[in-house]
Amino acid sequence: MTDDEFDLDLSELSSAEDFLDYFGIDFEPAVVQVNRLHILQRFHDYLEQVDEMPDSTQARWALHADLLKAAYQDFLTSNAATEKVFRVFRMNEPRSASVPLSDLTKQVPHAPPV
């Protein structure tokens, strides 16, 4: 397989099931049905973390297969709310703010009486 053929194959895959089948990954349909977008987004996130793609097509295929399998396995033992792949799941997380102690000890000028 050439790089162009591999890229063409990838461009023709449209569902999580297509990707999993293409890379020969056994999967539970019920898990994929509930988490398909999360699996694909996690796979994409893992690919983005790769500093440099391998030169050979076989190595690229193997890397993609390993990362997709890892993304799928994340959802075998967890769920979308826990994994928080999409921003919407992180929107209501507690946020912390810090105020330097020096700001708390500053004197605030009093406003003149009206």
Side-chain angles (χ1 to χ4, degrees):
M1 170 186 325
T2 66
D3 278 348
D4 288 341
E5 290 170 332
F6 180 59
D7 291 337
L8 180 61
D9 286 350
L10 288 179
S11 72
E12 293 176 350
L13 302 175
S14 62
S15 69
E17 292 87 349
D18 289 348
F19 277 88
L20 291 160
D21 286 338
Y22 179 77
F23 288 107
I25 299 168
D26 291 330
F27 63 91
E28 294 178 33
V31 172
V32 176
Q33 186 174 9
V34 173
N35 297 296
R36 66 174 34 96
L37 294 177
H38 302 279
I39 293 167
L40 289 176
Q41 182 62 49
R42 178 63 56 87
F43 175 49
H44 177 266
D45 294 345
Y46 285 160
L47 283 170
E48 291 224 326
Q49 294 173 7
V50 174
D51 291 329
E52 189 174 328
M53 275 293 159
D55 290 332
S56 80
T57 305
Q58 277 186 320
R60 281 183 61 211
W61 189 94
L63 175 64
H64 279 68
D66 288 344
L67 296 177
L68 179 59
K69 187 173 186 177
Y72 168 68
Q73 288 178 338
D74 288 346
F75 293 92
L76 278 178
T77 57
S78 190
N79 59 49
T82 302
E83 292 299 315
K84 299 181 181 182
V85 173
F86 292 104
R87 184 174 176 262
V88 67
F89 288 106
R90 297 185 302 266
M91 289 175 59
N92 293 323
E93 286 185 346
R95 294 187 178 121
S96 62
S98 60
V99 177
L101 184 59
S102 60
D103 287 358
L104 296 175
T105 59
K106 288 182 182 174
Q107 290 287 332
V108 178
H110 295 322
V114 192

